[in-house]
Amino acid sequence: MKLLNDTDSLAQLCARLANEPYITIDTEFLRETTFWPQLCLVQVAGADEFALIDPLADGLDLTPLFELLAEKSVLKVFHAGRQDIEIFHYLTGSIPQNVFDTQIAAMVCGYGDQVGYDQIVRQTVGASIDKSHRFTDWSRRPLNDAQLAYAAADVTHLRDVYEHLADILAKKSRAGWVAEEMATLLDPQTYSVAPGEAWQRLKLRARKPIEFAALKAVARWREEVAQERDVPRRRILKDDAIYELAQQRPLSLDALGRLRAVPRGFEKQPYAGGLVEALQGVSALAIDELPKLPKSKRNPESAPAIAELLKVALKLVAEREGVAPRIIANSEDLETIAIHGDTDVKAMRGWRRDLFGEMALQIRSGEMALGVRGKRAVLVPMDAED
């Protein structure tokens, strides 16, 4: 077993795989010390072969691989592929075409919420994955045989996992459920890192419009610096420091250096001046130019109790249908339905509405209740007669 490290061999491999109905693919990467993920290894397999591609090899051009990912006639099978797709989106500016995620399919097929690769391999194929190399530094060379074998297993077993799940989906006529869930995974906006939206990663602790404006400005500044310097956000400034900066709004480097939440000597960093300028810009805003604080949600007193009832109902439906509860609705969906009723959340659209949404509305309106028959919880229409 060896790494593929030249462009001609990669082009020949991709030409062969382009004739396959599907391929399995995985990546190994590092991002502990960088903002953007560093691609260290690509594993890919067809029906009769697999390869380990070394993106760190001198002179290797990954274009043949990128062209294969863009080929619509070949299905690309990932497991928990969001980060893999993010990497390819970053490197190419586009999303791989015709993608299937076995983690999503496993949820639809009743294998639990966000099941791990080793678990789904064990449950569907009966094989065991050696997890001892999970935290390998994949940027170091050479990789030993055990590391390469571990990496290969991520795509060789995935072929059998895919076929097993695809068979279940076909028998239950649920392929469309997976396709609907894949829409978010394949939306370029999912991988957008627009600096102007960076504040949404933070807790909204601002109590005044000017504090909100400062929070947004500092978050944007941090995002821009982190991307430009290719370092994690926390290496530039931790979240707690952003909250203090939004409240204190220092307008000079000296004032910046006196804040407790910023590291000692932070004001001497070459990018610190840009932070002060951002806060000065906020200070210069007129009152009518300040952003409005998002409206706080006022929950009816009954909402928590309704949400708890919906959680039980969701569990019952999921067990009955043999799917993971989270694929139908998440906690935020349930809370929103409890507060607002028929609202635009995923649980109230498409097959989810038919499976659970209408029932949730009946529970909320008192038309359906939870009961116990024997030792089982059941949903009972209020006008039903025993």
Side-chain angles (χ1 to χ4, degrees):
M1 191 179 298
K2 63 179 182 179
L3 291 177
L4 191 157
N5 56 18
D6 67 276
T7 304
D8 287 342
S9 296
L10 177 60
Q12 293 171 23
L13 169 71
C14 292
R16 295 192 300 271
L17 294 179
N19 295 313
E20 300 274 2
Y22 74 86
I23 61 172
T24 55
I25 187 165
D26 188 38
T27 67
E28 307 296 344
F29 57 91
L30 297 177
R31 69 183 315 167
E32 285 80 5
T33 61
T34 61
F35 184 91
W36 307 107
Q38 179 188 8
L39 182 60
C40 299
L41 190 68
V42 180
Q43 306 99 287
V44 62
D48 301 313
E49 66 175 321
F50 70 89
L52 307 178
I53 303 164
D54 185 4
L56 303 181
D58 290 338
L60 177 64
D61 183 354
L62 291 175
T63 298
L65 174 64
F66 298 151
E67 291 175 345
L68 177 62
L69 292 174
E71 177 56 57
K72 295 181 179 180
S73 65
V74 181
L75 181 69
K76 292 85 184 178
V77 179
F78 294 86
H79 182 81
R82 179 167 180 152
Q83 293 188 86
D84 305 302
I85 294 172
E86 179 189 12
I87 290 173
F88 293 126
H89 179 260
Y90 167 62
L91 293 174
T92 68
S94 60
I95 301 293
Q97 297 294 304
N98 195 6
V99 171
F100 183 95
D101 192 309
T102 54
Q103 187 179 69
I104 292 174
M107 294 171 71
V108 171
C109 293
Y111 285 97
D113 288 338
Q114 296 183 313
V115 62
Y117 181 66
D118 57 321
Q119 295 172 296
I120 196 63
V121 168
R122 184 172 61 253
Q123 293 180 47
T124 61
V125 182
S128 297
I129 301 293
D130 179 5
K131 297 186 288 185
S132 60
H133 295 287
R134 176 172 293 181
F135 300 107
T136 285
D137 180 353
W138 295 103
S139 67
R140 298 186 65 178
R141 297 291 184 270
L143 297 172
N144 61 42
D145 288 344
Q147 291 171 317
L148 296 177
Y150 171 86
D154 283 345
V155 289
T156 53
H157 291 306
L158 190 55
R159 295 177 294 201
D160 294 325
V161 171
Y162 162 69
E163 293 190 358
H164 178 86
L165 295 174
D167 184 57
I168 294 176
L169 293 173
K171 289 178 179 178
K172 293 188 174 183
S173 300
R174 291 181 179 176
W177 295 15
V178 175
E180 187 175 319
E181 192 69 13
M182 290 294 299
T184 299
L185 195 66
L186 300 179
D187 184 354
Q189 291 300 316
T190 300
Y191 309 99
S192 173
V193 285
E197 303 300 319
W199 67 272
Q200 296 189 34
R201 295 176 176 272
L202 302 169
K203 295 178 182 178
L204 187 57
R205 297 179 179 176
R207 297 180 179 179
K208 303 175 182 178
I210 192 167
E211 290 180 1
F212 184 33
L215 179 80
K216 296 176 72 172
V218 177
R220 179 179 189 130
W221 169 86
R222 182 179 69 169
E223 193 79 4
E224 291 173 343
V225 174
Q227 290 186 25
E228 181 181 351
R229 299 176 71 89
D230 193 19
V231 296
R233 299 177 184 88
R234 66 181 182 279
R235 294 284 184 92
I236 301 299
L237 204 62
K238 293 184 178 180
D239 291 355
D240 286 343
I242 293 182
Y243 302 137
E244 183 173 350
L245 284 162
Q247 291 180 337
Q248 301 297 328
R249 301 184 295 283
L251 302 181
S252 69
L253 289 174
D254 287 342
L256 177 63
R258 289 194 294 269
L259 293 183
R260 291 182 299 174
V262 301
R264 180 174 297 180
F266 179 82
E267 74 278 9
K268 298 177 183 178
Q269 296 293 334
Y271 45 74
L275 173 57
V276 171
E277 290 177 3
L279 290 169
Q280 289 173 341
V282 170
S283 180
L285 292 174
I287 293 177
D288 59 357
E289 294 177 311
L290 294 173
K292 294 182 179 179
L293 286 168
K295 293 181 179 180
S296 60
K297 297 179 180 179
R298 293 185 178 180
N299 301 344
E301 292 183 4
S302 60
I306 295 173
E308 289 300 318
L309 289 174
L310 295 180
K311 288 179 183 178
V312 177
L314 175 62
K315 184 178 179 180
L316 293 176
V317 171
E319 289 177 349
R320 183 191 70 200
E321 299 294 331
V323 300
R326 187 168 176 173
I327 200 74
I328 302 173
N330 57 33
S331 296
E332 186 175 347
D333 285 347
L334 300 182
E335 292 171 3
T336 303
I337 294 170
I339 297 168
H340 301 291
D342 194 351
T343 186
D344 187 24
V345 296
K346 193 158 59 173
M348 297 302 296
R349 299 193 295 265
W351 63 268
R352 293 176 176 85
R353 186 181 184 106
D354 296 336
L355 205 66
F356 172 74
E358 291 292 345
M359 180 187 300
L361 294 177
Q362 289 180 316
I363 292 172
R364 185 180 184 274
S365 64
E367 299 173 57
M368 184 169 287
L370 288 169
V372 177
R373 287 180 178 168
K375 296 182 179 180
R376 296 187 59 188
V378 293
L379 292 165
V380 183
M382 292 299 292
D383 59 354
E385 297 180 2
D386 290 336

